[in-house]
Amino acid sequence: MEKIRAAITGIHAWVPEYRLTNQELSRMVDTSDEWIMQRVGIKERHILKGVGQGTSVLGEMAVKGLLEKTNTSPEEIDLLICATITPDMAFPATANIISDKVGIKNAFSFDLGAACSGFLFSLQTGVSYIETGKYKKVIVVGADKMSSIVDYTDRTTCPLFGDGAGAVLLEPTTDDVGIIDHIFHSDGSGGKFLHLKAGGSAKPASFETIEAKEHFVYQEGQSVFKFAVVNMADVAAEIMEKNNLKPDDIAWLVPHQANLRIIDATGRRMGLPPEKIMINIQNYGNTTAATIPLCLWEYENKLRKGDKIILAAFGGGFTWGSIYLKWAYDPK
Ligand code: UT7
């Protein structure tokens, strides 16, 4: 029997209209366009404004657009996975809320939390369902409203993050395309460098946690940087070696967009020229689970059937990993 693989057969993304520029940020905290561009590489990020507007709004827009674009009826979807660390609420899952909003009725859905590696881990989870042969159409959406957990008085974190969502449709194929391999890692000892201190079951919200600003991202930037720069580059190089891929074989690296310096180091370690690396951090900042689908969506018209692509991410947890895939379609 031919092996069933899962292929990405469509992609769509969505960001809110409001652009928070470095100029505006430099009026809010003691920072500058020059510092942010030199140290991180971000010009602006999109922010979802409005009362009651959660991550499901971002996911809904990305998924709705994906269904339209791929001519798929919501009833055909078997499973929807939402990668997020900023769910609308602890429960129900944001995946369920998105499914309900877009009319996905014949599916089950759940959230997966792996911070910046969330999209990769969710994609592979979706792939595994397809490979069983029982599931024909799976949506994986990476969505984060990072502005809901960012302290806009803290200059060390507020320039870094933005809001956005990206969604892909996975379908079975027996062609020589699709998701081929993955290497994933987690290391809980890294949690202390990047986390949210309160609001979970260990430390529920209280007047004290609010006063101490414990509902915002806590990051020891330099420590995270050191782990990210080594591990994201290593795992990308490792998946190349494992699959006998030389730099010339690879059409694109799609790296998580947290810092341009981390992206550059990963590209160098893989021996790739800059023109093979997808970069859009300047326009969106770090949208956590959404960075990789946002990149694929922006570059979709440049992708050709059979292109060999490496996805790589590093993030909170720590979590990190890489995926090797062959793109499944030419520009439509
Ligand atoms: O996606 C999740 C995983 N996260 C990451 O991958 C993030 C990894 N870390 C980073 O990308 C970088 O560490 C940051 C971008 C967060 C920070 O860059 P850095 O080069 O590591 O800066 P630093 O923390 O070492 O700070 C250098 C200086 C400090 O001043 P002093 O102590 O040298 O006087 C900071 O206070 O820059 C100062 N600084 C700023 N200055 C202007 C920190 N933030 C700012 C700012 N504007 N926004």
Side-chain angles (χ1 to χ4, degrees):
M1 210 175 86
E2 272 184 298
K3 181 174 161 47
I4 300 171
R5 271 205 197 128
I8 294 175
T9 54
I11 182 148
H12 194 66
W14 192 82
V15 290
E17 214 170 292
Y18 190 84
R19 290 157 195 251
L20 176 58
T21 62
N22 289 350
Q23 281 68 29
E24 186 177 352
L25 269 176
S26 61
R27 293 193 291 272
M28 295 158 65
V29 291
D30 181 14
T31 191
S32 64
D33 177 57
E34 194 191 1
W35 191 92
I36 301 171
M37 281 306 286
Q38 267 179 14
R39 306 304 296 167
V40 206
I42 303 171
K43 265 277 171 215
E44 57 183 25
R45 56 299 277 149
H46 293 246
I47 305 294
L48 182 62
K49 301 260 185 179
V51 178
Q53 303 289 290
T55 292
S56 69
V57 173
L58 306 166
E60 175 195 359
M61 298 306 284
V63 171
K64 210 184 248 174
L66 176 70
L67 292 170
E68 278 168 22
K69 199 169 153 184
T70 55
N71 247 323
T72 308
S73 146
E75 280 92 15
E76 293 174 69
I77 301 301
D78 302 309
L79 162 64
L80 183 142
I81 305 170
C82 179
T84 188
I85 51 157
T86 52
D88 279 20
M89 52 192 87
F91 70 92
T94 298
N96 286 27
I97 301 171
I98 295 170
S99 290
D100 183 49
K101 283 180 168 178
V102 304
I104 291 177
K105 293 180 194 325
N106 302 319
F108 69 109
S109 47
F110 59 87
D111 290 354
L112 192 152
C116 302
S117 307
F119 183 77
L120 293 195
F121 290 14
S122 300
L123 185 65
Q124 187 55 42
T125 305
V127 165
S128 304
Y129 278 98
I130 295 271
E131 285 176 351
T132 64
K134 286 192 199 160
Y135 301 88
K136 304 293 177 215
K137 288 184 194 283
V138 172
I139 289 181
V140 177
V141 50
D144 271 302
K145 185 187 172 189
M146 292 306 291
S147 63
S148 66
I149 55 166
V150 164
D151 176 3
Y152 286 97
T153 65
D154 173 14
R155 73 170 182 173
T156 68
T157 51
C158 75
L160 307 177
F161 299 100
D163 303 340
V168 296
L169 180 63
L170 286 175
E171 292 183 272
T173 181
T174 48
D175 286 356
D176 186 21
V177 293
I179 286 83
I180 294 169
D181 197 12
H182 69 279
I183 303 174
F184 291 163
H185 298 281
S186 297
D187 176 3
S189 69
K192 57 184 173 291
F193 300 116
L194 176 56
H195 59 258
L196 213 60
K197 291 190 185 300
S201 55
K203 206 176 195 188
S206 66
F207 288 115
E208 288 74 28
T209 61
I210 291 171
E211 224 161 50
K213 296 188 167 190
E214 289 179 344
H215 298 275
F216 294 124
V217 171
Y218 170 86
Q219 175 167 255
E220 293 177 27
Q222 273 190 22
S223 305
V224 178
F225 185 92
K226 279 180 205 150
F227 283 97
V229 88
V230 172
N231 287 308
M232 194 162 114
D234 278 359
V235 80
E238 194 186 338
I239 207 161
M240 280 176 72
E241 258 167 58
K242 194 176 159 206
N243 289 280
N244 248 321
L245 295 167
K246 303 279 169 272
D248 280 349
D249 301 324
I250 292 167
W252 296 99
L253 164 67
V254 193
H256 171 55
Q257 313 277 308
N259 189 316
L260 202 49
R261 291 182 286 146
I262 299 172
I263 296 172
D264 287 345
T266 304
R268 275 199 304 276
R269 174 89 160 77
M270 294 170 74
L272 294 183
E275 61 273 15
K276 286 189 174 184
I277 305 174
M278 293 191 192
I279 294 173
N280 62 10
I281 188 173
Q282 67 282 3
N283 300 325
Y284 305 109
N286 182 352
T287 54
T288 304
T291 59
I292 287 176
L294 261 169
C295 266
L296 284 169
W297 168 67
E298 282 214 322
Y299 282 76
E300 186 186 17
N301 280 335
K302 297 190 178 178
L303 303 179
R304 299 286 175 277
K305 188 172 179 181
D307 274 358
K308 293 175 179 166
I309 298 176
I310 306 286
L311 317 178
F314 182 93
F318 291 138
T319 56
W320 68 103
S322 57
I323 282 182
Y324 165 42
L325 62 89
K326 285 189 200 168
W327 196 246
Y329 57 95
D330 288 321
K332 287 170 184 157

